[in-house]
Amino acid sequence: MAQRERTFIMIKPDGVQRGLIAKIIARFEEKGFKLVAMKFMQASQELLEKHYADLSSLPFFPFLVQYMQLGPVVPMVWEGDNVVKTGRDIIGATNPANAQPGTIRGDLCIQVGRNIIHGSDSVPSADKEIALWFKDEELVNYKSCMESWIYEN
Ligand code: IDP
Ligand code: MG
């Protein structure tokens, strides 16, 4: 079986401080996605500037990089069919004011500058972000016992 799609998801410092780690992880677990990698760390200025490089010309960029350093984050890699797009749907709109109820941002936060979670927006950015936050050997290879109950093929 070829490897299924992967995405990079990260619980931001406000999600960690507000005690939402388990709740957020549960949404991806319960959907049927497979956890491939996870760590708990303080992100550096340099790493965050690379992670958000595409946004570096925007006025809120310095505040974004500052926000992401307010405390530890939980970077993760999740795997499954369409996980990039579905992951974004589970997370909800960037501005929680526009996020539908039932989404993580729609249910659990209020302001765009405190929107508790990151998710890759395309397969190429997922590949880039996974490589930025994880070494190859940190991506764990294992068989999920649920695989044949979640996928018919
Ligand atoms: P995304 O996280 O939904 O992919 P992006 O447009 O990639 O949204 O922006 C990255 C992050 O930058 C957002 O999640 C949010 O934390 C922050 N951000 C985006 N737009 C604004 C804004 O207008 N004001 C303050 N922060 C913003
Ligand atoms: Mg983005």
Side-chain angles (χ1 to χ4, degrees):
M1 176 79 230
Q3 185 200 288
R4 297 182 195 274
E5 190 173 289
R6 288 180 171 180
T7 194
F8 177 74
I9 300 290
M10 175 163 51
I11 305 175
K12 296 179 175 182
D14 44 348
V16 172
Q17 290 289 345
R18 291 181 51 205
L20 297 172
I21 296 174
K23 197 170 262 183
I24 289 170
I25 289 176
R27 300 222 177 176
F28 289 86
E29 267 189 321
E30 289 171 358
K31 173 71 176 168
F33 292 133
K34 178 183 165 188
L35 184 63
V36 170
M38 172 162 69
K39 44 191 170 186
F40 182 63
M41 60 183 277
Q42 179 71 43
S44 69
Q45 175 97 8
E46 188 192 357
L47 179 58
L48 291 164
E49 283 175 357
K50 280 189 196 154
H51 174 75
Y52 282 124
D54 292 351
L55 305 177
S56 61
S57 62
L58 297 176
F60 60 81
F61 181 74
F63 303 102
L64 172 58
V65 170
Q66 212 172 25
Y67 157 45
M68 292 297 293
Q69 289 180 91
L70 289 176
V73 293
V74 182
M76 298 172 275
V77 177
W78 287 89
E79 186 178 293
D81 287 0
N82 294 311
V83 69
V84 171
K85 158 81 167 66
T86 305
R88 294 280 293 189
D89 292 343
I90 290 171
I91 288 171
T94 301
N95 187 335
N98 304 323
Q100 293 300 309
T103 65
I104 291 171
R105 287 169 175 163
D107 288 349
L108 302 174
C109 57
I110 294 174
Q111 285 192 338
V112 68
R114 293 289 185 272
N115 64 359
I116 73 172
I117 182 165
H118 167 83
S120 308
D121 62 10
S122 67
V123 172
S125 22
D127 291 345
K128 242 196 312 194
E129 291 169 359
I130 291 167
L132 180 64
W133 289 85
F134 291 96
K135 300 185 189 114
D136 264 353
E137 61 266 30
E138 291 175 323
L139 305 174
V140 182
N141 237 320
Y142 68 104
K143 180 151 179 55
S144 162
C145 68
M146 296 192 291
E147 171 104 9
S148 61
W149 295 103
I150 290 169
Y151 299 99
E152 66 170 332
N153 52 48

